[in-house]
Coordinates of all heavy atoms in Angstrom, one line a residue:
M163 N 178.1 99.2 66.9 CA 177.0 100.0 66.5 C 176.8 99.9 65.0 O 175.6 99.8 64.6 CB 177.2 101.4 67.0 CG 176.1 102.3 66.8 SD 174.8 101.9 67.9 CE 173.8 103.3 67.8
R164 N 177.9 99.9 64.3 CA 177.8 99.9 62.8 C 177.2 98.5 62.4 O 176.4 98.5 61.4 CB 179.1 100.1 62.2 CG 179.1 100.2 60.7 CD 180.5 100.4 60.2 NE 180.5 100.7 58.8 CZ 180.6 101.9 58.3 NH1 180.8 103.0 59.1 NH2 180.5 102.1 57.0
R165 N 177.5 97.5 63.1 CA 177.0 96.1 62.8 C 175.5 96.1 63.0 O 174.7 95.5 62.2 CB 177.7 95.1 63.6 CG 177.2 93.7 63.5 CD 177.8 92.9 62.4 NE 177.4 91.6 62.5 CZ 176.9 90.9 61.5 NH1 176.7 91.5 60.4 NH2 176.5 89.7 61.7
L166 N 175.0 96.7 64.1 CA 173.6 96.7 64.4 C 172.8 97.5 63.3 O 171.8 97.0 62.8 CB 173.4 97.3 65.8 CG 171.9 97.5 66.2 CD1 171.2 96.1 66.3 CD2 171.8 98.3 67.5
F167 N 173.4 98.6 62.9 CA 172.8 99.4 61.8 C 172.7 98.6 60.5 O 171.7 98.6 59.8 CB 173.5 100.7 61.6 CG 173.0 101.5 60.5 CD1 171.8 102.2 60.7 CD2 173.6 101.6 59.2 CE1 171.2 103.0 59.6 CE2 173.1 102.3 58.2 CZ 171.9 103.0 58.4
Q168 N 173.7 97.8 60.2 CA 173.7 97.0 59.0 C 172.7 95.9 59.1 O 172.0 95.6 58.1 CB 175.1 96.4 58.8 CG 175.3 95.8 57.4 CD 176.8 95.4 57.2 OE1 177.5 95.2 58.1 NE2 177.1 95.3 55.9
I169 N 172.6 95.3 60.3 CA 171.6 94.2 60.5 C 170.2 94.8 60.3 O 169.3 94.2 59.6 CB 171.7 93.5 61.8 CG1 173.0 92.7 61.9 CG2 170.5 92.7 62.2 CD1 173.4 92.2 63.3
I170 N 169.9 95.9 60.9 CA 168.6 96.6 60.7 C 168.3 96.9 59.3 O 167.3 96.6 58.7 CB 168.5 97.8 61.6 CG1 168.4 97.4 63.1 CG2 167.3 98.6 61.3 CD1 168.6 98.5 64.1
Q171 N 169.3 97.5 58.6 CA 169.2 97.9 57.2 C 168.9 96.7 56.3 O 168.1 96.7 55.4 CB 170.4 98.6 56.7 CG 170.3 99.2 55.4 CD 171.5 100.0 54.9 OE1 172.5 99.9 55.6 NE2 171.4 100.8 53.9
N172 N 169.6 95.6 56.6 CA 169.5 94.4 55.7 C 168.3 93.5 56.0 O 167.9 92.8 55.1 CB 170.8 93.6 55.8 CG 171.9 94.3 55.1 OD1 171.8 95.2 54.3 ND2 173.1 93.9 55.5
N173 N 167.8 93.6 57.2 CA 166.7 92.6 57.6 C 165.4 93.3 58.0 O 164.3 92.9 57.5 CB 167.1 91.7 58.7 CG 168.3 90.8 58.3 OD1 168.2 90.2 57.3 ND2 169.3 90.8 59.1
V174 N 165.5 94.3 58.8 CA 164.2 94.9 59.3 C 163.6 95.8 58.3 O 162.4 95.7 58.1 CB 164.5 95.7 60.6 CG1 163.3 96.4 61.1 CG2 165.1 94.7 61.7
V175 N 164.3 96.7 57.7 CA 163.8 97.6 56.7 C 163.1 96.9 55.5 O 161.9 97.2 55.2 CB 164.8 98.6 56.2 CG1 164.3 99.4 55.0 CG2 165.3 99.5 57.3
P176 N 163.7 95.8 54.9 CA 162.9 95.1 53.9 C 161.6 94.5 54.4 O 160.6 94.5 53.7 CB 163.9 94.0 53.4 CG 165.3 94.6 53.7 CD 165.1 95.4 55.0
L177 N 161.7 93.9 55.6 CA 160.4 93.3 56.1 C 159.4 94.4 56.4 O 158.2 94.1 56.2 CB 160.7 92.5 57.4 CG 161.5 91.2 57.1 CD1 161.8 90.5 58.4 CD2 160.6 90.3 56.2
L178 N 159.8 95.5 56.8 CA 158.8 96.6 57.0 C 158.2 97.1 55.7 O 157.0 97.3 55.6 CB 159.4 97.8 57.8 CG 159.7 97.6 59.2 CD1 160.5 98.8 59.8 CD2 158.5 97.4 60.0
L179 N 159.0 97.2 54.7 CA 158.5 97.5 53.4 C 157.6 96.5 52.8 O 156.6 96.8 52.1 CB 159.7 97.8 52.4 CG 160.5 99.1 52.8 CD1 161.7 99.2 51.9 CD2 159.7 100.3 52.7
I180 N 158.0 95.2 53.0 CA 157.1 94.1 52.5 C 155.8 94.2 53.3 O 154.7 94.0 52.7 CB 157.8 92.7 52.8 CG1 158.9 92.6 51.8 CG2 156.8 91.6 52.6 CD1 159.8 91.4 52.1
T181 N 155.8 94.4 54.6 CA 154.6 94.5 55.3 C 153.7 95.7 54.8 O 152.5 95.5 54.6 CB 154.9 94.7 56.8 OG1 155.7 93.6 57.3 CG2 153.6 94.8 57.7
F182 N 154.3 96.8 54.6 CA 153.6 98.0 54.1 C 152.9 97.6 52.7 O 151.8 97.9 52.5 CB 154.5 99.2 53.9 CG 153.9 100.4 53.4 CD1 152.9 101.1 54.2 CD2 154.2 100.9 52.2 CE1 152.3 102.2 53.8 CE2 153.6 102.1 51.8 CZ 152.6 102.7 52.5
G183 N 153.7 97.0 51.8 CA 153.2 96.6 50.5 C 152.0 95.6 50.6 O 151.0 95.7 49.9
A184 N 152.1 94.6 51.6 CA 151.1 93.6 51.8 C 149.8 94.3 52.3 O 148.7 93.9 51.9 CB 151.6 92.6 52.7
V185 N 150.0 95.3 53.2 CA 148.8 96.0 53.7 C 148.1 96.7 52.6 O 146.9 96.7 52.5 CB 149.2 96.9 54.9 CG1 148.1 97.9 55.2 CG2 149.6 96.1 56.1
I186 N 148.8 97.4 51.7 CA 148.3 98.1 50.6 C 147.5 97.1 49.7 O 146.4 97.4 49.2 CB 149.3 98.9 49.9 CG1 149.8 100.1 50.7 CG2 148.8 99.4 48.5 CD1 151.0 100.8 50.2
A187 N 148.2 96.0 49.4 CA 147.6 95.0 48.5 C 146.3 94.4 49.1 O 145.3 94.3 48.4 CB 148.6 93.9 48.2
A188 N 146.3 94.1 50.4 CA 145.1 93.6 51.0 C 144.0 94.6 51.0 O 142.8 94.3 50.8 CB 145.5 93.1 52.4
F189 N 144.4 95.9 51.3 CA 143.3 96.9 51.3 C 142.7 97.1 49.9 O 141.5 97.2 49.8 CB 144.0 98.3 51.7 CG 143.0 99.4 51.7 CD1 142.1 99.6 52.7 CD2 143.0 100.3 50.6 CE1 141.2 100.7 52.7 CE2 142.2 101.4 50.6 CZ 141.3 101.5 51.6
S190 N 143.5 97.0 48.9 CA 143.0 97.2 47.5 C 142.1 96.0 47.2 O 141.0 96.2 46.5 CB 144.1 97.4 46.5 OG 144.8 96.2 46.3
L191 N 142.4 94.8 47.6 CA 141.6 93.7 47.3 C 140.2 93.8 48.0 O 139.2 93.7 47.4 CB 142.3 92.4 47.8 CG 143.2 91.7 46.9 CD1 143.9 90.5 47.6 CD2 142.4 91.2 45.7
E192 N 140.3 94.1 49.3 CA 139.1 94.1 50.1 C 138.2 95.3 49.9 O 137.0 95.2 50.0 CB 139.4 94.0 51.6 CG 140.0 92.7 52.1 CD 139.0 91.6 51.9 OE1 137.8 91.7 52.2 OE2 139.4 90.5 51.4
E193 N 138.8 96.4 49.5 CA 138.0 97.6 49.3 C 137.6 97.9 47.9 O 136.5 98.6 47.7 CB 138.7 98.8 49.9 CG 139.0 98.7 51.4 CD 137.7 98.6 52.2 OE1 136.7 99.3 51.9 OE2 137.7 97.9 53.2
F194 N 138.3 97.4 46.9 CA 138.0 97.8 45.5 C 137.7 96.5 44.7 O 136.7 96.5 44.0 CB 139.2 98.5 44.9 CG 139.5 99.8 45.6 CD1 140.7 100.0 46.3 CD2 138.6 100.9 45.6 CE1 141.0 101.1 47.0 CE2 138.9 102.0 46.3 CZ 140.1 102.2 47.0
L195 N 138.6 95.6 44.6 CA 138.5 94.5 43.7 C 137.3 93.5 44.1 O 136.5 93.2 43.2 CB 139.8 93.7 43.6 CG 141.0 94.5 43.0 CD1 142.2 93.7 43.0 CD2 140.7 95.1 41.7
V196 N 137.4 93.0 45.3 CA 136.4 92.0 45.7 C 134.9 92.5 45.7 O 134.0 91.9 45.1 CB 136.7 91.4 47.0 CG1 135.6 90.4 47.5 CG2 138.0 90.6 46.9
P197 N 134.7 93.7 46.3 CA 133.3 94.2 46.3 C 132.7 94.5 44.9 O 131.5 94.4 44.7 CB 133.3 95.5 47.1 CG 134.6 95.4 47.9 CD 135.5 94.6 47.1
N198 N 133.6 94.8 44.0 CA 133.1 95.2 42.6 C 133.3 94.1 41.6 O 133.1 94.3 40.4 CB 133.9 96.5 42.1 CG 133.6 97.6 43.0 OD1 132.4 97.9 43.3 ND2 134.6 98.3 43.5
N199 N 133.8 92.9 42.1 CA 134.0 91.8 41.2 C 134.9 92.1 40.0 O 134.7 91.8 38.9 CB 132.7 91.2 40.7 CG 131.9 90.5 41.8 OD1 132.5 89.8 42.6 ND2 130.6 90.6 41.7
I200 N 136.0 92.8 40.4 CA 137.0 93.1 39.4 C 138.2 92.1 39.5 O 138.8 91.9 40.5 CB 137.6 94.5 39.6 CG1 136.5 95.6 39.5 CG2 138.7 94.8 38.6 CD1 136.9 97.0 39.9
F201 N 138.4 91.4 38.4 CA 139.5 90.4 38.4 C 140.7 91.0 37.6 O 140.6 91.3 36.5 CB 139.0 89.1 37.7 CG 137.8 88.6 38.3 CD1 136.6 88.5 37.7 CD2 137.8 88.1 39.6 CE1 135.5 88.0 38.3 CE2 136.7 87.5 40.2 CZ 135.5 87.5 39.6
D202 N 141.8 91.2 38.3 CA 143.0 91.9 37.8 C 144.0 91.0 37.1 O 144.9 91.5 36.5 CB 143.7 92.7 38.9 CG 144.3 91.9 40.0 OD1 143.9 90.7 40.1 OD2 145.1 92.4 40.7
G203 N 143.9 89.7 37.2 CA 144.8 88.8 36.6 C 145.7 88.1 37.6 O 145.9 88.5 38.7
G204 N 146.2 86.9 37.1 CA 147.2 86.2 37.9 C 146.5 85.3 39.0 O 145.4 85.0 38.9
I205 N 147.4 85.0 40.0 CA 146.9 84.2 41.1 C 145.7 84.8 41.9 O 144.8 84.1 42.3 CB 148.1 83.9 42.1 CG1 149.2 83.1 41.4 CG2 147.6 83.1 43.3 CD1 148.8 81.8 40.8
T206 N 145.8 86.1 42.0 CA 144.7 86.7 42.8 C 143.4 86.5 42.1 O 142.4 86.2 42.7 CB 145.0 88.2 42.9 OG1 146.3 88.4 43.6 CG2 143.9 88.9 43.7
S207 N 143.3 86.7 40.8 CA 142.1 86.5 40.0 C 141.6 85.1 40.0 O 140.4 84.8 40.2 CB 142.2 87.0 38.6 OG 142.3 88.4 38.6
V208 N 142.5 84.2 39.9 CA 142.2 82.8 39.9 C 141.6 82.5 41.3 O 140.5 81.8 41.4 CB 143.4 81.9 39.6 CG1 143.1 80.4 39.9 CG2 143.8 82.0 38.2
S209 N 142.2 83.0 42.3 CA 141.7 82.8 43.7 C 140.3 83.4 43.9 O 139.4 82.8 44.5 CB 142.6 83.3 44.7 OG 143.9 82.7 44.6
M210 N 140.1 84.6 43.3 CA 138.8 85.3 43.4 C 137.7 84.5 42.7 O 136.6 84.3 43.2 CB 138.9 86.7 42.9 CG 139.7 87.6 43.8 SD 140.0 89.2 43.0 CE 138.4 89.9 42.9
I211 N 138.0 83.9 41.6 CA 137.0 83.2 40.8 C 136.7 81.9 41.6 O 135.5 81.6 41.7 CB 137.6 82.8 39.4 CG1 137.7 84.1 38.6 CG2 136.7 81.8 38.7 CD1 138.4 84.0 37.3
I212 N 137.7 81.2 42.0 CA 137.4 79.9 42.8 C 136.7 80.3 44.1 O 135.7 79.6 44.5 CB 138.8 79.2 43.1 CG1 139.4 78.7 41.8 CG2 138.5 78.1 44.1 CD1 140.8 78.1 42.0
G213 N 137.0 81.4 44.7 CA 136.3 81.8 45.9 C 134.9 82.2 45.7 O 134.0 81.9 46.5
N214 N 134.6 82.8 44.6 CA 133.2 83.1 44.2 C 132.4 81.8 44.0 O 131.2 81.8 44.3 CB 133.1 84.0 43.0 CG 133.4 85.4 43.3 OD1 133.4 85.9 44.4 ND2 133.8 86.2 42.3
V215 N 133.0 80.8 43.4 CA 132.3 79.6 43.1 C 132.1 78.7 44.4 O 131.1 78.2 44.6 CB 133.0 78.8 42.0 CG1 132.4 77.4 41.8 CG2 133.0 79.6 40.7
T216 N 133.2 78.6 45.2 CA 133.2 77.7 46.3 C 132.9 78.4 47.7 O 132.7 77.7 48.6 CB 134.6 77.0 46.4 OG1 135.6 78.0 46.7 CG2 134.9 76.2 45.2
K217 N 133.0 79.7 47.7 CA 132.8 80.5 49.0 C 133.9 80.2 50.0 O 133.8 80.3 51.2 CB 131.4 80.2 49.6 CG 130.3 80.5 48.8 CD 130.2 81.9 48.3 CE 129.0 82.1 47.4 NZ 129.2 83.2 46.5
F218 N 135.1 79.7 49.5 CA 136.3 79.5 50.3 C 136.9 80.8 50.6 O 136.9 81.7 49.7 CB 137.2 78.5 49.5 CG 138.2 77.8 50.4 CD1 137.8 76.7 51.2 CD2 139.5 78.1 50.4 CE1 138.6 76.0 51.9 CE2 140.4 77.5 51.2 CZ 140.0 76.4 52.0
P219 N 137.5 81.0 51.7 CA 138.2 82.3 52.0 C 139.2 82.7 51.0 O 140.1 81.9 50.7 CB 138.7 82.2 53.4 CG 138.1 81.0 54.0 CD 137.6 80.1 52.9
L220 N 139.2 83.9 50.6 CA 140.1 84.4 49.5 C 141.6 84.3 50.0 O 142.5 83.9 49.3 CB 139.8 85.9 49.1 CG 140.7 86.5 48.1 CD1 140.6 85.7 46.8 CD2 140.2 87.9 47.8
G221 N 141.9 84.8 51.2 CA 143.2 84.8 51.7 C 143.8 83.3 51.7 O 145.0 83.1 51.4
A222 N 143.0 82.4 52.1 CA 143.5 81.0 52.2 C 143.7 80.5 50.7 O 144.7 79.8 50.5 CB 142.5 80.1 52.9
L223 N 142.9 80.8 49.8 CA 143.1 80.4 48.4 C 144.3 81.0 47.8 O 145.1 80.3 47.1 CB 141.9 80.8 47.6 CG 140.6 80.0 47.7 CD1 139.5 80.6 47.0 CD2 140.9 78.6 47.2
I224 N 144.6 82.3 48.1 CA 145.8 82.9 47.5 C 147.0 82.2 48.1 O 148.0 81.9 47.4 CB 145.8 84.4 47.9 CG1 144.7 85.1 47.1 CG2 147.2 85.0 47.6 CD1 144.5 86.6 47.5
A225 N 147.0 81.9 49.4 CA 148.2 81.2 50.0 C 148.3 79.8 49.4 O 149.5 79.4 49.1 CB 148.0 81.1 51.5
I226 N 147.3 79.1 49.3 CA 147.3 77.7 48.8 C 147.8 77.7 47.3 O 148.7 76.8 47.0 CB 146.0 77.0 48.9 CG1 145.7 76.8 50.4 CG2 145.9 75.7 48.1 CD1 144.2 76.3 50.7
I227 N 147.3 78.5 46.5 CA 147.6 78.5 45.1 C 149.1 79.0 44.9 O 149.8 78.6 43.9 CB 146.6 79.3 44.3 CG1 145.3 78.6 44.3 CG2 147.1 79.5 42.8 CD1 144.1 79.4 43.7
N228 N 149.6 79.8 45.8 CA 151.0 80.3 45.7 C 152.0 79.3 46.1 O 153.2 79.4 45.8 CB 151.2 81.6 46.5 CG 150.9 82.8 45.7 OD1 151.4 82.9 44.6 ND2 150.1 83.7 46.3
I229 N 151.6 78.2 46.8 CA 152.6 77.2 47.3 C 153.4 76.6 46.2 O 154.6 76.5 46.4 CB 151.8 76.2 48.2 CG1 151.4 76.8 49.5 CG2 152.7 74.9 48.4 CD1 150.5 75.9 50.3
P230 N 152.8 76.2 45.1 CA 153.7 75.6 44.0 C 154.7 76.6 43.5 O 155.9 76.2 43.2 CB 152.7 75.2 42.9 CG 151.4 75.1 43.6 CD 151.4 76.0 44.7
F231 N 154.4 77.8 43.4 CA 155.3 78.8 42.9 C 156.5 79.1 43.9 O 157.6 79.3 43.6 CB 154.6 80.1 42.6 CG 153.6 80.0 41.5 CD1 152.2 79.9 41.8 CD2 154.0 79.9 40.2 CE1 151.3 79.7 40.8 CE2 153.1 79.7 39.2 CZ 151.7 79.6 39.5
L232 N 156.1 79.1 45.2 CA 157.2 79.2 46.3 C 158.1 78.0 46.3 O 159.3 78.2 46.4 CB 156.5 79.4 47.6 CG 155.8 80.7 47.9 CD1 155.1 80.7 49.2 CD2 156.8 81.8 47.9
V233 N 157.5 76.8 46.1 CA 158.4 75.6 46.0 C 159.3 75.7 44.8 O 160.5 75.4 44.9 CB 157.5 74.3 46.0 CG1 158.3 73.1 45.7 CG2 156.8 74.2 47.3
Y234 N 158.8 76.1 43.7 CA 159.6 76.2 42.5 C 160.7 77.2 42.7 O 161.9 77.0 42.3 CB 158.7 76.6 41.3 CG 159.5 76.8 40.0 CD1 159.9 75.7 39.3 CD2 159.8 78.1 39.5 CE1 160.6 75.9 38.1 CE2 160.5 78.3 38.4 CZ 160.9 77.2 37.7 OH 161.6 77.4 36.5
A235 N 160.4 78.4 43.2 CA 161.4 79.4 43.5 C 162.4 78.9 44.5 O 163.6 79.1 44.3 CB 160.7 80.7 44.0
F236 N 162.0 78.2 45.5 CA 162.9 77.6 46.5 C 163.9 76.7 45.8 O 165.1 76.7 46.1 CB 162.1 76.9 47.6 CG 163.0 76.3 48.6 CD1 163.7 77.0 49.5 CD2 163.1 74.9 48.6 CE1 164.4 76.4 50.5 CE2 163.8 74.2 49.6 CZ 164.5 75.0 50.5
R237 N 163.4 75.8 44.9 CA 164.3 74.9 44.3 C 165.2 75.5 43.3 O 166.4 75.1 43.1 CB 163.4 73.8 43.6 CG 162.8 72.8 44.6 CD 162.1 71.7 43.9 NE 161.5 70.8 44.9 CZ 160.6 69.9 44.6 NH1 160.2 69.7 43.3 NH2 160.2 69.1 45.5
K238 N 164.7 76.5 42.5 CA 165.5 77.1 41.5 C 166.5 78.1 42.0 O 167.6 78.2 41.6 CB 164.6 77.8 40.5 CG 164.0 76.9 39.5 CD 165.0 76.3 38.6 CE 164.4 75.5 37.5 NZ 165.4 74.8 36.7
L239 N 166.1 78.9 43.0 CA 166.9 80.1 43.4 C 167.6 79.9 44.8 O 168.4 80.7 45.2 CB 166.1 81.3 43.5 CG 165.4 81.7 42.1 CD1 164.5 82.9 42.3 CD2 166.5 82.0 41.1
G240 N 167.2 78.9 45.5 CA 167.8 78.6 46.8 C 167.0 79.0 48.0 O 165.9 79.6 47.9
R241 N 167.5 78.7 49.2 CA 166.8 78.9 50.4 C 166.4 80.3 50.8 O 165.4 80.6 51.3 CB 167.6 78.3 51.6 CG 167.0 78.4 52.9 CD 167.7 77.6 53.9 NE 166.8 76.8 54.6 CZ 166.8 75.5 54.6 NH1 167.7 74.8 54.1 NH2 165.8 74.8 55.2
N242 N 167.3 81.3 50.5 CA 167.0 82.7 50.9 C 165.8 83.3 50.2 O 165.3 84.3 50.7 CB 168.3 83.5 50.7 CG 169.4 83.2 51.7 OD1 169.1 82.7 52.8 ND2 170.6 83.4 51.3
V243 N 165.5 82.9 49.0 CA 164.4 83.5 48.2 C 163.1 83.2 48.9 O 162.1 83.9 48.7 CB 164.4 83.0 46.8 CG1 163.8 81.6 46.7 CG2 163.6 83.9 45.9
K244 N 163.0 82.2 49.7 CA 161.7 81.8 50.3 C 161.2 82.7 51.4 O 160.0 82.8 51.6 CB 161.8 80.3 50.8 CG 160.5 79.7 51.1 CD 160.7 78.3 51.5 CE 159.4 77.7 51.9 NZ 159.5 76.4 52.6
R245 N 162.1 83.3 52.2 CA 161.7 84.0 53.4 C 160.8 85.2 53.1 O 159.8 85.4 53.7 CB 163.0 84.5 54.1 CG 163.7 83.3 54.7 CD 164.9 83.9 55.4 NE 165.8 82.8 55.8 CZ 167.1 82.8 55.8 NH1 167.7 84.0 55.7 NH2 167.8 81.8 56.1
R246 N 161.2 86.1 52.2 CA 160.5 87.3 52.0 C 159.1 87.1 51.3 O 158.2 87.8 51.8 CB 161.3 88.3 51.3 CG 162.5 88.8 52.2 CD 163.2 89.9 51.6 NE 164.3 90.3 52.5 CZ 165.4 90.8 52.2 NH1 165.7 91.0 50.9 NH2 166.3 91.2 53.1
P247 N 159.0 86.3 50.3 CA 157.6 86.1 49.8 C 156.7 85.5 50.8 O 155.5 85.8 50.8 CB 157.9 85.2 48.6 CG 159.3 85.4 48.2 CD 160.0 85.7 49.5
E248 N 157.2 84.6 51.6 CA 156.3 84.0 52.6 C 155.9 85.1 53.6 O 154.7 85.1 54.0 CB 157.1 82.9 53.4 CG 157.1 81.6 52.7 CD 157.8 80.5 53.5 OE1 158.5 80.9 54.5 OE2 157.7 79.4 53.2
A249 N 156.8 85.9 54.0 CA 156.4 87.0 54.9 C 155.3 87.9 54.3 O 154.4 88.3 55.0 CB 157.7 87.8 55.2
A250 N 155.5 88.2 53.0 CA 154.5 89.1 52.4 C 153.1 88.4 52.3 O 152.1 89.0 52.5 CB 155.0 89.5 51.0
A251 N 153.1 87.1 51.9 CA 151.9 86.4 51.8 C 151.2 86.2 53.1 O 150.0 86.4 53.2 CB 152.1 85.0 51.2
A252 N 152.0 86.0 54.2 CA 151.4 85.8 55.5 C 150.8 87.1 56.0 O 149.7 87.2 56.5 CB 152.4 85.3 56.5
R253 N 151.4 88.2 55.7 CA 150.9 89.5 56.2 C 149.7 89.9 55.4 O 148.7 90.4 55.9 CB 152.0 90.6 56.1 CG 153.0 90.4 57.2 CD 154.2 91.4 57.0 NE 155.1 91.3 58.1 CZ 156.1 90.4 58.1 NH1 156.2 89.5 57.2 NH2 156.9 90.3 59.1
A254 N 149.7 89.7 54.1 CA 148.5 90.0 53.2 C 147.3 89.1 53.6 O 146.2 89.6 53.7 CB 148.9 89.8 51.7
D255 N 147.6 87.8 53.8 CA 146.5 87.0 54.2 C 145.9 87.4 55.5 O 144.7 87.3 55.7 CB 146.9 85.5 54.3 CG 147.3 85.0 52.9 OD1 146.9 85.6 51.9 OD2 148.0 83.9 52.9
G256 N 146.7 87.8 56.5 CA 146.2 88.2 57.8 C 145.4 89.5 57.7 O 144.4 89.6 58.3
E257 N 145.8 90.4 56.8 CA 145.0 91.6 56.6 C 143.7 91.3 55.9 O 142.7 92.0 56.3 CB 145.8 92.6 55.8 CG 147.0 93.2 56.5 CD 146.7 94.0 57.7 OE1 145.7 94.7 57.6 OE2 147.4 93.9 58.7
E258 N 143.7 90.4 55.0 CA 142.4 90.1 54.3 C 141.4 89.5 55.2 O 140.2 89.7 55.0 CB 142.7 89.2 53.1 CG 143.4 89.8 52.0 CD 143.7 88.9 50.9 OE1 143.2 87.7 50.9 OE2 144.5 89.2 50.0
N259 N 141.8 88.7 56.2 CA 140.9 88.0 57.0 C 140.4 88.8 58.2 O 139.5 88.3 58.9 CB 141.6 86.7 57.6 CG 141.9 85.7 56.4 OD1 141.2 85.7 55.5 ND2 143.0 85.0 56.6
N260 N 140.8 90.0 58.3 CA 140.3 90.9 59.4 C 139.1 91.6 59.0 O 138.8 91.9 57.9 CB 141.4 91.9 59.8 CG 142.5 91.2 60.6 OD1 142.3 90.2 61.2 ND2 143.7 91.8 60.6

């Protein structure tokens, strides 16, 4: 029973928190930033600018532009660093496209 609790604490809880954060980020993008053309900086703003010019979906642009950073993190920090950022990006992209 203790082992199960530890597995849940180490794997499930962080993924739930990542999902919650991704939902909040997607909501803020779709409800505040994009409709008002507010560019907040970083990858999101670059994606918003490219999306405004090309009419390409914002969620796809954020995912595509983040790929080089994920590859860099994977090479520098190892295999485990890749799982959680991918989970967050996938959840945020899914929320934006709804």
Side-chain angles (χ1 to χ4, degrees):
M163 186 69 162
R164 187 177 189 104
R165 173 88 170 125
L166 177 63
F167 178 73
Q168 191 172 23
I169 290 171
I170 290 171
Q171 185 178 13
N172 291 339
N173 296 311
V174 175
V175 171
L177 287 177
L178 288 174
L179 292 173
I180 288 169
T181 301
F182 182 67
V185 168
I186 291 172
F189 178 80
S190 68
L191 271 173
E192 290 298 315
E193 297 300 321
F194 301 112
L195 299 178
V196 173
N198 297 309
N199 289 322
I200 299 172
F201 302 115
D202 65 342
I205 297 300
T206 303
S207 289
V208 171
S209 300
M210 288 172 66
I211 293 168
I212 293 171
N214 281 341
V215 172
T216 64
K217 304 301 179 203
F218 202 76
L220 180 60
L223 284 171
I224 291 172
I226 291 167
I227 294 174
N228 270 311
I229 289 172
F231 297 103
L232 289 172
V233 170
Y234 178 77
F236 176 73
R237 288 185 178 168
K238 283 291 188 185
L239 301 174
R241 177 171 234 122
N242 290 333
V243 77
K244 192 175 177 194
R245 292 182 191 149
R246 291 188 179 151
E248 280 181 346
R253 285 173 180 83
D255 293 342
E257 290 295 323
E258 288 176 13
N259 294 328
N260 287 338

